[in-house]
Amino acid sequence: MRWRVEDTPERAAFRGEFKAWLESVLPPGWVEALDAEDDEAFAAARDGFNPFAWTGVIGRTAYAAPLWPKEYGGLSGEPWMQQIVREELSDHRLPVFGINLLGVGLAGPTIIAHGSAQQKSRYLPKILSGEEIWCQLFSEPGSGSDLASLATRAVRDGDEWIVNGEKVWTSIAQFSTFGMLLARTDPDVSKHDGLSYFIVDMHSPGIEIRPLRQITGSADFSEVFFTELRVPDANRIGEAGEGWRYARTTLMNERVALSGLSIDAVSLTGGVRRDAWEAALEQVPDRRDPLVRQDLALIYSRQEAKEITAFRASAARLAGQVPGAEGGISKVFNAELNQYRSNALLDAGGLASIAWPIESVAVAAGAAAAQGRAQSLLRARANTIEGGTSEVLRNQIAERVLGLPRDPDVDRDVPWSHSRR
Ligand SMILES: Cc1cc2nc3c(=O)[nH]c(=O)nc-3n(C[C@H](O)[C@H](O)[C@H](O)COP(=O)(O)OP(=O)(O)OC[C@H]3O[C@@H](n4cnc5c(N)ncnc54)[C@H](O)[C@@H]3O)c2cc1C
């Protein structure tokens, strides 16, 4: 079942306008193929469609960020507008965030909340248009879950800051124009109080990016080294020493972006079906197998629970509530569901899931599907780590939702320079 916001006349009018625009920019045959549930026609309509270019097409309209202020490319709109845009994008099998997820989902909201007027007008429009891709320079080899303990140092030198240190897990660093950098500017106060937040030009001298290859074969994230990197003070967001507060805005938005809202971000590789899982199931040799059926029932019920939870969260946002701990709940639930689902699909595919023939054209499609299942299983391992691990998010839910005692943190109130690291 699909959970959707109810259309009032005003909402229906907005939906109609957006849909008309969308259908006017999509390649010929796209909408017809979806209506007819014709995978072949859909693949033909999508042939040559470029996701990078798509980000620019929607990014030059206010539909890309209905909640952003009008002067920076948004609509100064209401949450229901964003919800409708997401629903329609998903119905048309288009990605919700596009290629610049970290820019639109994380950097943009942080700059809107804490940046200067000059920073807003310089960076926000190009985030939306996808002309400038962003990455997040937070995690370090010694600081992930306990992010506030990070060691990258920024020292003031006139109108600049000199940065030395190392980041890791930096997704899409090698393709980014700018990075959101959290660095320590005062080591002699407690770990949360000595941080500052900077915008870093990723092409500056003093930055070395070393992509890391994963078990999936691709290199989605990198190690990033800073050696005497000079960052203008004009690139500091907000006050020095207040970086942790701004980072929390980024992290809260990250959880929402990764929590798979009621309308999932869909990849541009899917078929006409809304849920890639349904399409993948068609490749499963025996759907009458009782163990496969048991998994199907479990996954179906969990997906419904996920949709209802996300729908409740978006209903709260429509009612004007600020997104809260639901982001963490949905993030944990989605991450674990995705892992369960990719395991189940691999199991259901039997031997074909782990050994696929590649020698004949006739089996190529099946082989690609099997390879896709194996690939999903491997990629899904990251879901319970990226954007905060499930253990740490459970701690936060326990504290902030259930009101249980805080996780002990012995270094919380000692100067960072005296903390155990
Ligand atoms: C695919 C991927 C992409 C990423 N992209 C980015 C990015 O673009 N930018 C960025 O800055 N970071 C990124 N990250 C980093 C991510 O935020 C961290 O990996 C995550 O926060 C965990 O930190 P860690 O890896 O240092 O693990 P650790 O913090 O060392 O944790 C190790 C284990 O200990 C557990 N643990 C730690 N503390 C507690 C606690 N208090 N209670 C219970 N258990 C605990 C954890 O759950 C985990 O199982 C990415 C990670 C992945 C996997």
Side-chain angles (χ1 to χ4, degrees):
M1 183 189 276
R2 288 209 57 185
W3 299 84
R4 293 173 74 112
V5 236
E6 205 179 311
D7 272 359
T8 60
E10 189 189 13
R11 290 178 189 176
F14 178 79
R15 188 187 294 278
E17 268 170 41
F18 178 57
K19 218 169 143 176
W21 172 80
L22 199 54
E23 295 183 357
S24 75
V25 293
L26 285 173
W30 188 291
V31 178
E32 294 75 9
L34 288 176
D35 286 345
E37 295 203 352
D38 182 341
D39 263 315
E40 221 170 288
F42 185 53
R46 213 179 39 192
D47 192 32
F49 182 79
N50 178 343
F52 288 88
W54 165 250
T55 300
V57 173
I58 189 165
R60 287 193 171 79
T61 73
Y63 294 125
L67 297 181
W68 288 23
K70 269 192 183 140
E71 64 266 44
Y72 306 123
L75 276 175
S76 298
E78 296 187 39
W80 59 262
M81 294 179 174
Q82 184 155 11
Q83 185 67 15
I84 285 174
V85 167
R86 288 192 168 140
E87 287 177 1
E88 290 302 323
L89 288 174
S90 172
D91 285 353
H92 289 81
R93 309 297 174 270
L94 289 159
V96 169
F97 280 107
I99 216 76
N100 205 6
L101 181 138
L102 300 178
V104 180
L106 279 59
T110 307
I111 293 172
I112 289 172
H114 309 292
S116 65
Q118 194 275 336
Q119 288 167 342
K120 288 175 189 169
S121 52
R122 163 64 188 83
Y123 298 109
L124 295 176
K126 290 192 175 178
I127 286 178
L128 281 190
S129 67
E131 285 165 88
E132 291 172 347
I133 306 288
W134 284 63
C135 64
Q136 180 192 17
L137 299 158
F138 281 16
S139 305
E140 298 184 3
S143 303
S145 300
D146 184 12
L147 180 63
S149 69
L150 62 83
T152 291
R153 281 282 277 130
V155 178
R156 183 91 189 233
D157 181 29
D159 286 343
E160 293 181 319
W161 294 80
I162 301 175
V163 180
N164 284 287
E166 175 184 354
K167 298 285 172 180
V168 73
W169 292 113
T170 314
S171 302
I172 61 165
Q174 67 271 48
F175 309 115
S176 296
T177 321
F178 291 107
M180 304 158 249
L181 169 71
L182 200 55
R184 185 157 307 281
T185 45
D186 186 350
D188 298 321
V189 292
S190 77
K191 60 183 175 183
H192 293 96
D193 293 331
L195 299 171
S196 301
Y197 198 125
F198 300 95
I199 297 168
V200 168
D201 179 343
M202 294 299 288
H203 298 113
S204 315
I207 299 191
E208 187 192 346
I209 300 171
R210 290 191 205 154
L212 294 168
R213 196 155 298 281
Q214 302 139 237
I215 195 170
T216 53
S218 54
D220 297 339
F221 45 78
S222 298
E223 297 173 294
V224 179
F225 298 89
F226 309 114
T227 311
E228 300 292 303
L229 164 70
R230 289 189 166 266
V231 179
D233 187 50
N235 286 18
R236 174 169 43 83
I237 290 193
E239 299 296 322
E242 290 286 316
W244 183 249
R245 190 156 67 82
Y246 314 140
R248 287 185 59 155
T249 302
T250 311
L251 295 172
M252 193 184 75
N253 280 284
E254 181 175 29
R255 259 138 233 176
V256 173
L258 296 182
S259 68
L261 308 146
S262 58
I263 308 303
D264 288 333
V266 284
S267 73
L268 280 170
T269 52
V272 293
R273 289 204 177 61
R274 179 170 162 264
D275 191 339
W277 159 252
E278 278 176 43
L281 259 186
E282 286 177 3
Q283 308 287 335
V284 169
D286 188 2
R287 273 182 277 165
R288 287 165 309 169
D289 180 324
L291 292 177
V292 171
R293 294 171 75 87
Q294 199 170 308
D295 270 340
L296 287 183
L298 199 127
I299 290 165
Y300 175 79
S301 51
R302 286 192 184 167
Q303 284 196 167
E304 283 296 292
K306 171 192 125 174
E307 288 261 330
I308 296 165
T309 309
F311 181 76
R312 208 170 45 199
S314 65
R317 283 199 290 279
L318 292 187
Q321 288 175 22
V322 177
E326 333 83 52
I329 296 171
S330 297
K331 190 331 188 138
V332 169
F333 196 80
N334 283 344
E336 291 173 7
L337 174 61
N338 205 30
Q339 289 183 347
Y340 190 90
R341 208 161 51 167
S342 60
N343 273 332
L345 200 54
L346 202 86
D347 284 348
L351 199 55
S353 298
I354 48 168
W356 48 86
I358 49 167
E359 65 280 358
S360 98
V361 177
V363 294
Q371 196 170 354
R373 289 199 292 270
Q375 203 69 10
S376 307
L377 176 103
L378 296 175
R379 178 59 183 81
R381 300 300 97 194
N383 295 156
T384 45
I385 307 172
E386 59 199 341
T389 68
S390 289
E391 292 81 7
V392 166
L393 289 175
R394 278 194 166 87
N395 279 351
Q396 290 178 6
I397 294 163
E399 286 164 24
R400 293 180 202 158
V401 181
L402 304 175
L404 294 173
R406 280 193 83 97
D407 193 24
D409 182 355
V410 290
D411 294 328
R412 191 171 182 83
D413 297 317
V414 292
W416 177 83
S417 47
H418 292 104
S419 60
R420 291 175 311 127
R421 289 187 306 107

